[in-house]
Coordinates of all heavy atoms in Angstrom, one line a residue:
G248 N 42.4 130.7 46.0 CA 41.3 130.2 46.8 C 41.2 131.1 48.0 O 40.4 130.7 49.0
G249 N 41.8 132.2 48.1 CA 41.7 133.1 49.3 C 40.3 133.7 49.3 O 39.5 133.6 48.4
T250 N 40.0 134.3 50.5 CA 38.7 134.9 50.7 C 38.7 136.4 50.5 O 37.7 137.0 50.8 CB 38.2 134.5 52.1 OG1 39.1 135.0 53.0 CG2 38.0 133.0 52.2
A251 N 39.8 137.0 50.1 CA 39.9 138.4 50.0 C 38.9 138.8 48.9 O 38.6 138.0 48.0 CB 41.3 138.9 49.7
G252 N 38.5 140.0 48.9 CA 37.4 140.5 48.0 C 37.7 140.2 46.5 O 38.7 140.6 46.0
G253 N 36.8 139.4 45.9 CA 36.9 139.1 44.5 C 36.3 140.2 43.7 O 36.0 141.3 44.2
D254 N 36.2 140.0 42.4 CA 35.8 141.0 41.5 C 34.2 141.0 41.4 O 33.7 140.2 40.7 CB 36.4 140.7 40.1 CG 36.2 141.9 39.2 OD1 35.3 142.8 39.5 OD2 36.9 142.0 38.2
A255 N 33.6 141.9 42.2 CA 32.2 141.8 42.3 C 31.5 142.1 41.0 O 30.4 141.7 40.7 CB 31.7 142.9 43.3
G256 N 32.2 142.9 40.1 CA 31.6 143.1 38.8 C 32.5 142.5 37.8 O 32.6 143.1 36.7
G257 N 33.1 141.4 38.1 CA 34.2 140.9 37.3 C 33.9 140.3 36.0 O 32.8 140.0 35.7
G258 N 35.0 139.9 35.3 CA 34.8 139.3 34.0 C 34.2 138.0 34.0 O 33.7 137.5 33.0
G259 N 34.2 137.3 35.2 CA 33.6 135.9 35.2 C 32.1 136.0 35.0 O 31.5 135.0 34.6
T260 N 31.5 137.1 35.2 CA 30.1 137.2 35.1 C 29.7 137.9 33.7 O 28.6 137.9 33.3 CB 29.4 138.0 36.2 OG1 30.0 139.3 36.2 CG2 29.7 137.4 37.5
T261 N 30.7 138.5 33.1 CA 30.4 139.2 31.8 C 30.7 138.4 30.6 O 30.1 138.6 29.5 CB 31.2 140.5 31.8 OG1 32.6 140.2 31.9 CG2 30.8 141.4 32.9
G262 N 31.5 137.3 30.7 CA 31.8 136.4 29.6 C 32.7 137.0 28.6 O 33.2 138.1 28.6
G263 N 33.1 136.1 27.6 CA 34.0 136.4 26.6 C 33.6 137.5 25.7 O 34.4 138.3 25.2
T264 N 32.3 137.6 25.4 CA 31.8 138.6 24.5 C 32.1 140.0 25.0 O 32.5 140.9 24.3 CB 30.3 138.5 24.3 OG1 30.0 137.2 23.8 CG2 29.7 139.5 23.3
Q265 N 31.8 140.2 26.3 CA 32.1 141.5 26.9 C 33.6 141.8 26.8 O 34.0 143.0 26.5 CB 31.6 141.5 28.4 CG 32.1 142.8 29.2 CD 31.4 144.0 28.6 OE1 30.4 144.0 28.0 NE2 32.1 145.2 28.9
S266 N 34.4 140.8 27.1 CA 35.9 141.0 27.1 C 36.3 141.4 25.7 O 37.2 142.3 25.5 CB 36.6 139.8 27.5 OG 38.0 139.9 27.4
T267 N 35.8 140.8 24.7 CA 36.1 141.1 23.3 C 35.7 142.5 22.9 O 36.5 143.2 22.2 CB 35.5 140.1 22.3 OG1 35.9 138.8 22.6 CG2 35.8 140.4 20.9
K268 N 34.5 142.9 23.3 CA 34.1 144.3 23.0 C 35.0 145.3 23.7 O 35.4 146.3 23.1 CB 32.7 144.5 23.5 CG 31.6 143.7 22.7 CD 30.2 144.0 23.2 CE 29.2 143.2 22.4 NZ 27.8 143.5 22.9
A269 N 35.4 145.0 24.9 CA 36.2 145.9 25.7 C 37.6 146.0 25.0 O 38.2 147.1 24.9 CB 36.4 145.5 27.1
E270 N 38.1 144.9 24.5 CA 39.4 144.9 23.8 C 39.3 145.8 22.5 O 40.3 146.5 22.2 CB 39.8 143.5 23.5 CG 40.2 142.7 24.7 CD 40.4 141.2 24.3 OE1 40.3 140.9 23.1 OE2 40.8 140.4 25.2
K271 N 38.2 145.7 21.8 CA 38.1 146.5 20.6 C 38.0 148.0 20.9 O 38.6 148.8 20.2 CB 36.8 146.0 19.8 CG 36.9 144.7 19.2 CD 35.7 144.3 18.4 CE 35.8 142.9 17.7 NZ 34.5 142.6 17.0
A272 N 37.2 148.3 22.0 CA 37.1 149.7 22.4 C 38.4 150.2 22.8 O 38.8 151.4 22.4 CB 36.1 149.8 23.5
L273 N 39.2 149.4 23.6 CA 40.5 149.9 24.0 C 41.5 150.1 22.8 O 42.3 151.0 22.8 CB 41.1 148.9 25.0 CG 40.6 149.0 26.4 CD1 41.1 147.9 27.3 CD2 41.0 150.3 27.1
A274 N 41.4 149.1 21.9 CA 42.3 149.2 20.7 C 42.0 150.5 20.0 O 43.0 151.2 19.5 CB 42.1 148.0 19.8
F275 N 40.8 150.9 19.8 CA 40.4 152.1 19.2 C 40.9 153.3 20.0 O 41.5 154.3 19.4 CB 38.9 152.2 19.0 CG 38.5 153.5 18.3 CD1 38.2 153.5 16.9 CD2 38.2 154.7 19.0 CE1 37.8 154.6 16.3 CE2 37.8 155.8 18.3 CZ 37.7 155.8 17.0
A276 N 40.7 153.3 21.3 CA 41.1 154.4 22.1 C 42.7 154.6 22.0 O 43.2 155.8 21.9 CB 40.7 154.2 23.5
R277 N 43.4 153.5 22.1 CA 44.9 153.6 22.0 C 45.3 154.2 20.7 O 46.3 155.0 20.6 CB 45.5 152.3 22.2 CG 45.5 151.7 23.6 CD 46.4 150.5 23.8 NE 46.4 150.1 25.2 CZ 45.6 149.1 25.7 NH1 44.8 148.5 24.9 NH2 45.7 148.8 27.0
A278 N 44.6 153.9 19.6 CA 45.0 154.5 18.3 C 44.7 156.0 18.2 O 45.3 156.6 17.3 CB 44.2 153.8 17.2
Q279 N 44.0 156.5 19.1 CA 43.7 158.0 19.1 C 44.7 158.8 20.0 O 44.7 160.0 19.9 CB 42.3 158.3 19.6 CG 41.2 157.4 19.0 CD 41.3 157.3 17.5 OE1 41.4 158.2 16.8 NE2 41.3 156.0 17.0
I280 N 45.6 158.1 20.7 CA 46.6 158.8 21.5 C 47.4 159.7 20.7 O 47.9 159.4 19.6 CB 47.5 157.8 22.3 CG1 46.6 157.0 23.3 CG2 48.7 158.5 22.9 CD1 47.4 156.0 24.1

Side-chain angles (χ1 to χ4, degrees):
T250 57
D254 192 342
T260 60
T261 56
T264 301
Q265 171 65 23
S266 176
T267 301
K268 290 180 179 178
E270 289 172 0
K271 289 181 179 179
L273 280 171
F275 181 94
R277 287 194 176 95
Q279 313 314 308
I280 290 177

